[in-house]
Amino acid sequence: MITLHDISYLRLGCRDLDQMVDFGTRILGLELRERTATHAYLRGDNSAFNLCYIQGDERYDASAFEVPALADLAQAEQELSALGIAVQHGDEAACEERRVDAFISFTDPNDNRIELVYRPHVTGVRYFPSRDAGITEFGHFGLHSRDIERDLAFWTEVMSARVSDRIGDGALLRIDEVHHKIALFSSDTTGVQHVNFQVASIDDVMRAWYFLQEQGVPIVFGPGRHPTSTAIFIYFLGPDNRVYEYSSGVKRITDEAGYVPRHFEMKPSSFCMWGARPNVKEFSE
Ligand SMILES: CC(C)c1ccc(C(=O)O)c(O)c1O
Ligand SMILES: [Fe+2]
């Protein structure tokens, strides 16, 4: 099995890089660390970056996970190849572009682009937010799934993720103590479905609610509280039409051996215990 240490970054294609830098800094509150003609690196913690927007194909995206040792990349390649999954090695230029020492890439059974990285660069310079959104870290992301049982089998049996909870046929998967780092939801497409940043408290979620409205940013769900992770949340749309989420208070699962995943019914009350209704296709009944 492949052991994932943590989420590393997302690479997100976009049509208008300036627009995404403006959204990432002025609205999301991320720090712009570096910018080239085609790439913008933004972060909400001390990593070299969490999100890299890339000028070009807006449908392009890739998600990356850190593995603990260099040997894990070779081991992962062997396991993936044995399953008939083609693996590419990142060359020096591609590693430099990702701020990592080494990586491999492949597509999962849903054609989602996945990268496994060794030694993602961390900075000694603390995250300096461009607005006081209260971001504490890059939290998790959602992935589209066109065949949930197939993809769940891949993520749990090959990538060693564990199911924390299911909502309908969707699944919230953990790779460490945090309730989930990956949310797998049924859809008819591929790629990253939503991007979550953790914020410090309910105050930051509620402040965001007023701020986003003032800025004319479409809010698609919340404010509310997830009964699954118990986090308080708000979801909104970026100009790239991707869904972004702030949440606070995600629970940790410390009793790894004793934890039994729960199966929530596919009802709005399983997504929000306060009564908010999602205006997001993948989260609707
Ligand atoms: C609506 C989605 C997929 C969802 C559901 C539950 C949680 C949570 O328990 O925190 C999420 O973060 C989600 O994004
Ligand atoms: Fe989420």
Side-chain angles (χ1 to χ4, degrees), residues 232-253:
I232 291 163
F233 65 80
I234 186 156
Y235 293 71
F236 48 100
L237 274 189
D240 53 353
N241 264 319
R242 292 187 174 97
V243 176
Y244 292 83
E245 174 188 17
Y246 291 135
S247 70
S248 182
V250 64
K251 82 159 145 208
R252 289 178 175 261
I253 294 174

Side-chain angles (χ1 to χ4, degrees), residues 6-21:
D6 204 354
I7 306 182
S8 204
Y9 56 75
L10 298 177
R11 289 162 57 83
L12 303 172
C14 64
R15 219 183 284 169
D16 184 341
L17 192 59
D18 289 333
Q19 186 186 44
M20 292 318 298
V21 168

